[in-house]
């Protein structure tokens, strides 16, 4: 599922999937029982969203948000992605 708070995005489709309001998150999780979540959200919103997802039974995260999930949830499985670091590494290899 895809979720967003931006009214301009809700209801649009991306690769055949409709973007839903975040208010639908718990209903979606009950219906589909996802095992992991991908977080591409601002750090300020991440803690609240992670709490909601943990309450829905999700315990694995691909995290682009810069929020330290493991600090508050040490049992969570987390892969943190820092695009700035990745871009710097890529740039280094291009100019190598």
């Amino acid at each position: 599922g895809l979720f967003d708070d931006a009214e301009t995005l809700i209801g649009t489709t991306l690769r055949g999937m409709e973007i839903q309001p975040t208010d639908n998150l718990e209903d979606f999780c009950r219906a589909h029982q996802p095992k992991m979540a991908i977080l591409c959200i601002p750090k300020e919103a991440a803690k609240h969203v992670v709490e909601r997802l943990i309450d829905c039974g999700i315990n694995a995260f691909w995290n682009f948000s810069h929020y330290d999930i493991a600090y508050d949830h040490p049992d969570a499985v987390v892969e943190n992605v820092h695009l700035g670091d990745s871009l710097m590494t890529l740039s280094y290899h291009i100019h190598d």
Side-chain angles (χ1 to χ4, degrees):
L2 300 172
F3 300 88
D4 208 298
D5 285 332
E7 292 291 326
T8 56
L9 296 176
I10 294 170
T12 60
T13 58
L14 180 64
R15 302 240 177 206
M17 296 179 66
E18 184 176 329
I19 299 173
Q20 302 176 49
T22 55
D23 290 344
N24 293 359
L25 186 62
E26 286 80 4
D27 290 339
F28 177 88
C29 289
R30 271 191 296 279
H32 299 283
Q33 301 178 345
K35 301 297 180 212
M36 68 170 289
I38 301 169
L39 301 177
C40 301
I41 57 179
K43 181 180 180 180
E44 302 78 38
K47 182 173 183 165
H48 177 68
V49 172
V50 168
E51 294 292 333
R52 290 174 66 189
L53 292 167
I54 294 273
D55 288 345
C56 289
I58 296 173
N59 199 38
F61 299 91
W62 195 18
N63 181 26
F64 291 81
S65 75
H66 291 276
Y67 163 62
D68 187 0
I69 297 169
Y71 181 80
D72 292 320
H73 304 281
D75 294 334
V77 176
V78 181
E79 176 62 30
N80 293 304
V81 179
H82 300 285
L83 291 177
D85 295 347
S86 295
L87 181 58
M88 188 170 33
T89 301
L90 179 62
S91 295
Y92 172 79
H93 289 295
I94 290 172
H95 296 293
D96 191 21

